[in-house]
Amino acid sequence: ACSAPGGKTLAMLQHQPEAVVTAVDIDTARMARVQENLERGYVFAHLIVGDAGAPEAWWDGEPFDRILADVPCSATGVIRRHPDIKRLRRPEDFPVLVARQAAIVDALWLLLKPGGRMVYATCSILEQENAAQMAAFLQRHADARLLPMPVDWGEPRTVDTRFVGRQVFPEPEGHDGFFYAVLAKT
């Protein structure tokens, strides 16, 4: 979900070419970029232009085994490559983004099969979009549990001593900042 410009969709299909993937994005022009990237990689995904926060308009009713919710965010994790973010983001933008993220992840959760997994991802370094967002999600969904991430990258994030995901901070000559959490549906 929120799949444009398609880099993660392409990577998933190159890693698991037998996977049946549906990519959803709200913007037609951005979805065209997804198509271009998939064609360059010689892979295929079912592309849907639709709002991830309103799946009733596009979802066929078949629950998903896995969902990547790469939600819209402040993009503070890519600020080293896009310094204009400091000027473009206003304080009043953050509550709107956090509410939109919550709406998307809540809507997508309903599309996940019991036993399925959802990855929540942002390119943000802000607590309210990441650890706090996941803590609030867990409060709203009794059928959700966070899975441990046995990796050696990023820093574990906690809220009230409860693990809620991993944060990667930007490095001046390295990678961008990202947050990931893996949720399982019981």
Side-chain angles (χ1 to χ4, degrees):
C2 311
S3 57
K8 292 178 185 80
T9 305
L10 176 60
M12 286 186 294
L13 285 164
Q14 288 177 328
H15 185 69
Q16 295 289 329
E18 71 285 351
V20 177
V21 175
T22 300
V24 179
D25 199 88
I26 197 168
D27 186 279
T28 303
R30 288 175 48 86
M31 188 56 89
R33 290 192 56 208
V34 174
Q35 181 64 43
E36 291 167 8
N37 284 323
L38 296 180
E39 287 174 4
R40 271 196 292 277
Y42 301 102
V43 295
F44 172 81
H46 178 66
L47 305 182
I48 296 174
V49 175
D51 183 349
E56 61 278 359
W58 54 264
W59 183 48
D60 66 4
E62 183 67 33
F64 293 99
D65 296 311
R66 304 282 188 266
I67 295 175
L68 169 58
D70 189 14
V71 298
C73 68
S74 63
T76 51
V78 298
I79 207 162
R80 71 177 177 82
R81 291 188 296 117
H82 300 286
D84 56 327
I85 289 170
K86 288 186 259 185
R87 293 180 5 140
L88 296 174
R89 294 287 181 246
R90 301 163 302 169
E92 60 269 22
D93 294 338
F94 298 106
V96 174
L97 280 168
V98 169
R100 179 76 175 132
Q101 293 161 355
I104 288 171
V105 75
D106 285 347
L108 293 173
W109 188 251
L110 300 174
L111 313 185
L112 189 64
K113 288 180 181 177
R117 293 183 182 180
M118 178 186 291
V119 173
Y120 175 84
T122 74
C123 60
S124 170
I125 59 170
L126 301 179
E127 196 79 6
Q128 71 242 41
E129 294 182 272
N130 299 333
Q133 184 71 270
M134 284 295 90
F137 178 84
L138 291 168
Q139 288 292 327
R140 293 189 307 271
H141 298 277
D143 62 343
R145 65 181 176 86
L146 273 159
L147 297 178
M149 298 170 64
V151 296
D152 60 359
W153 48 262
E155 297 178 15
R157 307 310 290 169
T158 59
V159 172
D160 298 327
T161 70
R162 183 180 191 180
F163 173 77
V164 291
R166 293 190 75 87
Q167 179 74 59
V168 176
F169 290 100
E171 293 184 1
E173 300 299 322
H175 53 72
D176 292 330
F178 293 94
F179 176 84
Y180 296 95
V182 181
L183 298 151
K185 190 171 193 175
T186 56

